[in-house]
Amino acid sequence: MNRMTCRIVTTWLLLFSVAMPSGCNDAGAVAQRAPDAPVAAASHLAEASPGQPRSLAEPTSADWRWTFVEDFDRDIAVFESVFWEPLDTTSLRALIRDSPLVKGKTVLEIGTGSGLISLCCLQAGASRVVATDINPAAVDNAQFNARRLGLSDRLDVRLVPIDNAGAYSVIEPSERFDLIISNPPWELSEKPPDQIADYALYDPHFELMRTMLRGHATHLAPEGRFLLAYGCVTAIRKLQATAASEGLTWKILDDRQLDDLPELFLPGMLLEIAP
Ligand SMILES: C[S@@+](CC[C@H](N)C(=O)[O-])C[C@H]1O[C@@H](n2cnc3c(N)ncnc32)[C@H](O)[C@@H]1O
């Protein structure tokens, strides 16, 4: 079962669980809006005051929808081709929300998608967030959501060039962060994806993973933390092996055991990499 299938199965499980009486729904973290909800939300936004820039009133992307996560207090716009599976990062969001992890801190998010995690960091008091993505629609998407939520003055979203896709290719050599986080693509591929959307799922030769690990010490402030979310056993084992070969240690911040999990699983698991 690939990640897409995993997402489809999860969505069906969620739809099923939403249809169950309360108390039966133990998946609970995410709710997809009914199909007509984006139209209502879009027309509400279209009523924004006439002087408001179009980019704040509605996305310019041809195809987009509103989504909703129970633990985030505002709807999130998701543009066409941009990744959306908040179950990947349930525990990361809980840590951001319920601990002093990001308060007053600088954060780098690698592969921001809709911007959900970066927005959580900003809402939880991060002083500044730099977010990167290889998908131009994701860059627009994260900027749109941040503007709409009034958080854009502390968010810097940067586009990663496909021909220079290393984890820190758009980060200055002197830039340091208190926290580096990522919910990266989990699945190995032998060649670069054909579709930009597939960069959310596939990491060619695990190159993004390798460059994330190799460069992180240069960009982490003293006492900084490096947290990664993964929901794929093969990728986690590869991460552990790569970390060890780089002289790094890893810790799983989760009660589940890798041996008990299927190859692809949700919610994603949080791992911490340290010297
Ligand atoms: C699994 S998605 C996670 C998106 C978002 N952080 C979330 O949790 O919803 C991975 C993201 O990484 C981006 N990505 C893939 N390769 C990248 C690279 N080399 N540099 C930056 N972003 C990349 C994808 O476009 C995608 O948005």
Side-chain angles (χ1 to χ4, degrees):
M1 185 164 68
N2 68 19
R3 192 177 192 177
M4 192 65 76
T5 316
C6 189
R7 290 172 60 193
I8 292 166
V9 170
T10 307
T11 302
W12 274 106
L13 285 173
L14 284 168
L15 288 173
F16 179 70
S17 64
V18 164
M20 298 285 279
S22 68
C24 297
N25 179 4
D26 60 4
V30 183
Q32 293 285 340
R33 285 298 170 96
D36 59 343
V39 176
S43 59
H44 160 71
L45 281 180
E47 287 163 12
S49 60
Q52 198 166 31
R54 178 179 162 77
S55 58
L56 255 184
E58 62 183 34
T60 50
S61 172
D63 187 9
W64 60 280
R65 66 193 197 282
W66 290 113
T67 50
F68 167 75
V69 192
E70 270 181 15
D71 58 49
F72 194 77
D73 61 353
R74 300 286 299 273
D75 287 352
I76 303 272
V78 179
F79 291 12
E80 185 178 10
S81 87
V82 174
F83 179 85
W84 182 252
E85 179 44 273
L87 282 174
D88 281 8
T89 54
T90 308
S91 54
L92 177 57
R93 293 198 308 279
L95 189 64
I96 291 168
R97 188 187 57 237
D98 301 335
S99 79
L101 180 71
V102 300
K103 199 164 173 43
K105 304 280 175 57
T106 54
V107 179
L108 168 62
E109 187 193 6
I110 299 165
T112 194
S114 64
L116 173 65
I117 305 301
S118 289
L119 299 172
C120 289
C121 291
L122 291 165
Q123 279 202 336
S127 60
R128 180 168 174 268
V129 176
V130 173
T132 71
D133 209 288
I134 202 165
N135 181 348
V139 171
D140 290 348
N141 196 161
Q143 286 170 335
F144 172 82
N145 281 320
R147 276 197 302 272
R148 216 184 131 252
L149 301 185
L151 298 170
S152 57
D153 56 332
R154 286 181 286 138
L155 178 66
D156 175 359
V157 192
R158 302 180 190 172
L159 178 63
V160 172
I162 284 185
D163 58 2
N164 183 15
Y168 306 100
S169 72
V170 292
I171 306 301
E172 295 295 328
S174 61
E175 281 185 291
R176 302 265 184 288
F177 302 88
D178 298 309
L179 181 68
I180 300 178
I181 45 176
S182 186
N183 168 26
W186 295 336
E187 293 183 61
L188 176 65
S189 69
E190 297 304 325
K191 59 180 182 63
D194 297 328
Q195 308 286 326
I196 193 73
D198 289 343
Y199 278 90
L201 307 177
Y202 299 103
D203 184 0
H205 304 286
F206 279 136
E207 196 57 20
L208 181 60
M209 177 196 286
R210 196 184 58 74
T211 58
M212 273 196 305
L213 291 173
R214 184 156 287 179
H216 87 281
T218 308
H219 296 290
L220 211 52
E223 313 298 323
R225 295 182 68 182
F226 180 27
L227 298 172
L228 296 167
Y230 277 92
C232 172
V233 172
T234 299
I236 292 173
R237 295 206 191 287
K238 177 71 180 171
L239 180 77
Q240 294 169 335
T242 310
S245 71
E246 297 285 333
L248 302 167
T249 61
W250 50 266
K251 191 161 58 173
I252 293 181
L253 309 179
D254 197 295
D255 292 336
R256 293 169 292 175
Q257 302 296 319
L258 270 191
D259 286 341
D260 300 338
L261 290 165
E263 168 65 3
L264 288 165
F265 59 88
L266 287 173
M269 184 177 258
L270 200 54
L271 290 103
E272 178 155 19
I273 306 291

